[in-house]
Amino acid sequence: MSVFRTEKVVVLGLGYVGLPLAVALAKKFDVTGLDIDTRRVEELQAGTDRTREVEPEALKASTLALTSTPDDCRGADIYIVTVPTPVDGDNQPDLRPVVGATRSLAALLDPARKPIVVYESTVYPGVTEEVCGPLIEEVSGLERGKDFFLGYSPERINPGDREHTVDRIVKVVAGENSEVLERLAALYGAATSAGVFRAASIKAAEAAKVIENAQRDINIAFMNEITQIFAKLDLSIWDVLEAAGTKWNFLKFQPGLVGGHCIGVDPYYLSFRAQQLGQEPNVILAGRSINDRMGAWVADTLHERRGGAGSALVMGLTFKENVPDLRNSKVIDVIRRLEERGHTVTIHDPLADAAEARHEYGVKLDGGALERSYDLVVVAVPHEAYRDLPDDKLASLVAEGGLLADLKNLYARRTISGVERWSL
């Protein structure tokens, strides 16, 4: 089962995770990228990646084949599933994207090729073998371990991160037997310069991924909690962290709005599984609760600081800086709470897609928002475009008697004359 250049690989899902992986693998293998979003495929075929994870030159130069037609992907040797794993309105795991992708690929498997189905989507331990495997058997009529095999390699994409790209990070791999494991180690090892780590089992690899993000979530929750405590003492968290950070073993986490497709979601997968097993995940859920309430706390604090409602500008809607990714952005919590408190809110973001903002959150982006002044200006996302604004431009955004709220301490070293400022 050695890997050859002629081996056929299919990557299902061409988003933030799937596209960079498919492009990296296509440098060594025969790779087809499948996405059910025809608009997405057409954009990629034209050399445009709206996620900005793959540069246009790299996309155009890639040998990656692109399709929105599942039939084009029949008879591959390896299928890699990279679809999202969100939560529903009750913060319960929503496995519908994974289930849908599994059903689709099950109909494409050729048992003569002994295909491997690899999941990269973040799930709770057990999903690959206890949910996906049986579903493939049910749909295809094939037998796992004989006609097809399972593997898992958790995604570690950090949107906007140009250092820890998929071709430079250690890839954890797991297979249902040693032969599958070595085949996946060879596949992923050919795509990354950092090497691979062979996990003890598929469940161990699933668990490793979900705790990576749960750990960050809990640490940020601590930061958010002490931020709220220090606010009552009229202490800036940034001043406290600057002092505490001089200790050699102090963990340098920061407070903020915790959203996105991983940190704000994955802990719910782990807590769901724990509760299924009769174990109450107190620490995990406490952290989630603190972080989920942070947006409303920020809005309430600013409302009280302002002494009432007025016009408000929120700068940044994406879930983090310098990316167009709007998924699970907690900035919307600040916006909605300000509106509940009577503020008229204008939203600006230089990177977010206006149509996606309307679809996801029902809000309008105002491209000309930086040409007016407001009673309250909230710099919610530290985009580079906002960092580059000159002092006089920032001052012009704040009406007389207004407040500039800098949530990520972006302008800590800046002198903005005549403007009242607030930060966490």
CSV table of all heavy atoms in Angstrom, one decimal, residues 46 103 112 114 122 139 143 149 165 198 332 360:
chain,number,residue,atom,x,y,z
A,46,ALA,N,-11.5,30.2,-11.6
A,46,ALA,CA,-11.0,31.5,-12.2
A,46,ALA,C,-9.8,32.0,-11.4
A,46,ALA,O,-9.3,33.1,-11.8
A,46,ALA,CB,-12.2,32.5,-12.1
A,103,ARG,N,-22.4,10.4,3.2
A,103,ARG,CA,-23.4,9.7,2.3
A,103,ARG,C,-22.9,9.9,0.9
A,103,ARG,O,-23.0,9.0,0.0
A,103,ARG,CB,-24.8,10.3,2.5
A,103,ARG,CG,-25.5,9.9,3.8
A,103,ARG,CD,-26.9,10.4,3.8
A,103,ARG,NE,-27.6,9.9,5.0
A,103,ARG,CZ,-28.1,8.7,5.1
A,103,ARG,NH1,-28.1,7.9,4.0
A,103,ARG,NH2,-28.8,8.3,6.2
A,112,ALA,N,-12.5,-2.4,-5.1
A,112,ALA,CA,-11.4,-3.0,-5.7
A,112,ALA,C,-10.1,-2.2,-5.4
A,112,ALA,O,-9.0,-2.7,-5.4
A,112,ALA,CB,-11.5,-3.1,-7.3
A,114,LYS,N,-9.6,-0.6,-2.5
A,114,LYS,CA,-9.5,-0.6,-1.0
A,114,LYS,C,-9.3,0.8,-0.5
A,114,LYS,O,-8.3,1.2,0.1
A,114,LYS,CB,-8.2,-1.4,-0.6
A,114,LYS,CG,-8.2,-2.9,-1.2
A,114,LYS,CD,-9.4,-3.7,-0.7
A,114,LYS,CE,-9.4,-5.1,-1.2
A,114,LYS,NZ,-10.6,-5.9,-0.8
A,122,THR,N,-13.4,18.5,12.8
A,122,THR,CA,-13.3,18.3,14.3
A,122,THR,C,-14.6,17.7,14.8
A,122,THR,O,-15.7,18.2,14.6
A,122,THR,CB,-13.1,19.7,14.9
A,122,THR,OG1,-11.9,20.3,14.4
A,122,THR,CG2,-12.9,19.5,16.4
A,139,VAL,N,-24.9,2.9,3.4
A,139,VAL,CA,-25.1,3.5,2.1
A,139,VAL,C,-24.5,2.7,0.9
A,139,VAL,O,-25.1,2.5,-0.1
A,139,VAL,CB,-24.6,4.9,2.1
A,139,VAL,CG1,-24.8,5.5,0.7
A,139,VAL,CG2,-25.4,5.8,3.1
A,143,GLU,N,-18.1,-3.4,3.3
A,143,GLU,CA,-17.7,-3.8,4.6
A,143,GLU,C,-16.4,-3.1,5.0
A,143,GLU,O,-15.4,-3.1,4.3
A,143,GLU,CB,-17.4,-5.3,4.7
A,143,GLU,CG,-17.1,-5.8,6.1
A,143,GLU,CD,-16.8,-7.3,6.1
A,143,GLU,OE1,-17.2,-8.0,5.1
A,143,GLU,OE2,-16.2,-7.8,7.1
A,149,PHE,N,-11.5,1.5,4.3
A,149,PHE,CA,-10.8,1.7,5.6
A,149,PHE,C,-11.0,3.1,6.1
A,149,PHE,O,-11.2,4.0,5.3
A,149,PHE,CB,-9.3,1.3,5.5
A,149,PHE,CG,-9.1,-0.1,5.0
A,149,PHE,CD1,-9.0,-0.3,3.7
A,149,PHE,CD2,-8.9,-1.1,5.9
A,149,PHE,CE1,-8.8,-1.6,3.2
A,149,PHE,CE2,-8.7,-2.4,5.5
A,149,PHE,CZ,-8.7,-2.7,4.1
A,165,THR,N,1.2,27.3,8.2
A,165,THR,CA,0.4,26.8,7.1
A,165,THR,C,0.4,25.3,7.0
A,165,THR,O,1.2,24.6,7.7
A,165,THR,CB,0.9,27.4,5.7
A,165,THR,OG1,2.3,27.1,5.6
A,165,THR,CG2,0.7,28.9,5.7
A,198,ARG,N,2.2,9.9,14.5
A,198,ARG,CA,1.3,8.7,14.4
A,198,ARG,C,0.5,8.6,15.7
A,198,ARG,O,1.1,8.2,16.7
A,198,ARG,CB,2.0,7.5,14.1
A,198,ARG,CG,2.7,7.5,12.7
A,198,ARG,CD,3.7,6.4,12.5
A,198,ARG,NE,4.3,6.3,11.2
A,198,ARG,CZ,5.2,7.1,10.7
A,198,ARG,NH1,5.7,8.1,11.4
A,198,ARG,NH2,5.6,6.9,9.4
A,332,ILE,N,-21.0,40.2,16.7
A,332,ILE,CA,-22.4,40.4,16.5
A,332,ILE,C,-23.1,40.5,17.9
A,332,ILE,O,-24.1,41.1,18.0
A,332,ILE,CB,-23.0,39.2,15.6
A,332,ILE,CG1,-24.4,39.6,15.2
A,332,ILE,CG2,-23.0,37.9,16.4
A,332,ILE,CD1,-24.4,40.8,14.2
A,360,GLU,N,-25.5,35.8,7.0
A,360,GLU,CA,-25.2,35.2,8.3
A,360,GLU,C,-25.9,35.9,9.5
A,360,GLU,O,-26.4,35.2,10.4
A,360,GLU,CB,-23.7,35.2,8.5
A,360,GLU,CG,-22.9,34.2,7.6
A,360,GLU,CD,-23.2,32.8,7.9
A,360,GLU,OE1,-23.4,32.5,9.1
A,360,GLU,OE2,-23.3,32.0,7.0
